[in-house]
């Protein structure tokens, strides 16, 4: 028995915890059955111990089923669970080589789909179905933004659904900057549409992020902590004037080359170089 002693500090993985529970079930049921066999009187006590031992088994199986379904993310190892928490709050995540490879494959897949659509449109223009007003990009909205309700109303007015609302319910952090975050998979027209729509609100800048489909389904984060991943480009007077024109991708890239990213240092915003941010 001494060799079978469970040492809690050595239980570091979920599978080890489940094994410890199984050992505990065997010990408890064994104790109940052994005690019941030692008593002949009263009869009700013997029956009660046997019933308790029988009921323990379905209760244990039910608890394991709930853990493996409803609380499956919490049963992951620390490294995987931390990634799950980072993605659920849109906080900064350091991508591993595997994540970068997934992102690269996702980019290539999107490019192949785009080329196929262009080929079909060029060969059979009469069979092309008009695109919907909004490409089905996933949108996540942070309720920590000061004009959260107004932004939500504006999205509904433009027929853009919000796939997820995050912020107060799953993080204690406070926004140090109100930033738009776009996935690198998004097309230029959709990015510009969102930028123009969000100009009346309190956003201070925008940035790009890698969002592998295997980890997160949202491509647009309105608010959140994406600015921690290398800073953000400012939404200043120059950009506002540029968005009023019929700009091209090269125009936006030139703006970004002339306006270095702003990074957060000690809870204050500092540009990486001299920038003309308002």
């Amino acid at each position: 028995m001494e060799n079978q002693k469970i040492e809690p500090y050595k239980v570091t993985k979920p599978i080890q915890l489940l094994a410890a529970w199984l050992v505990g079930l065997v010990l408890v049921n064994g104790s109940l059955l052994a005690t019941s066999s030692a008593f002949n009187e009263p009869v009700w006590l013997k029956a009660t111990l046997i019933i308790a031992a029988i009921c323990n088994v379905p209760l244990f199986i039910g608890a394991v089923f709930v853990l493996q379904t409803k609380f499956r993310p919490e049963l992951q190892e620390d490294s995987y669970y931390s990634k799950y928490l980072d993605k659920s709050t849109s906080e900064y995540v350091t991508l591993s080589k595997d994540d970068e490879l997934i992102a690269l494959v996702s980019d290539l897949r999107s490019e192949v789909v785009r080329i196929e659509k262009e080929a079909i449109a060029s060969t059979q223009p009469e069979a092309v179905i008009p695109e919907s007003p909004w490409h089905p990009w996933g949108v996540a909205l942070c309720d920590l933004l000061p004009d959260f309700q107004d932004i939500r109303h504006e999205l509904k007015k433009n027929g853009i659904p919000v796939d997820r609302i995050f912020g107060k319910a799953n993080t204690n952090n406070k926004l140090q900057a109100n930033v738009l975050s776009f996935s690198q998979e998004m097309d230029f027209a959709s990015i510009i549409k969102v930028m123009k729509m969000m100009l009346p609100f309190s956003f201070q800048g925008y940035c790009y992020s890698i969002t592998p489909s295997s980890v997160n389904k949202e491509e647009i984060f309105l608010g959140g902590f994406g600015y921690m991943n290398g800073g953000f480009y400012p939404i200043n007077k120059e950009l506002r004037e540029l968005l009023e024109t019929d700009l091209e991708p090269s125009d936006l890239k030139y703006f970004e080359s002339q306006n270095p990213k702003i990074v957060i240092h000690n809870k204050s915003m500092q540009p990486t170089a001299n920038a003309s941010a308002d």
Side-chain angles (χ1 to χ4, degrees), residues 117 120-121 124-133:
K117 288 183 178 179
I120 294 174
Q124 298 178 346
E126 68 281 356
V128 174
I129 301 174
E131 292 186 358
S132 59

Side-chain angles (χ1 to χ4, degrees), residues 246-261:
D246 188 17
L247 73 164
E248 299 176 349
S250 58
D251 298 322
L252 188 61
K253 289 182 179 179
Y254 181 75
F255 166 83
E256 293 169 355
S257 68
Q258 298 301 308
N259 292 267
K261 289 184 177 179

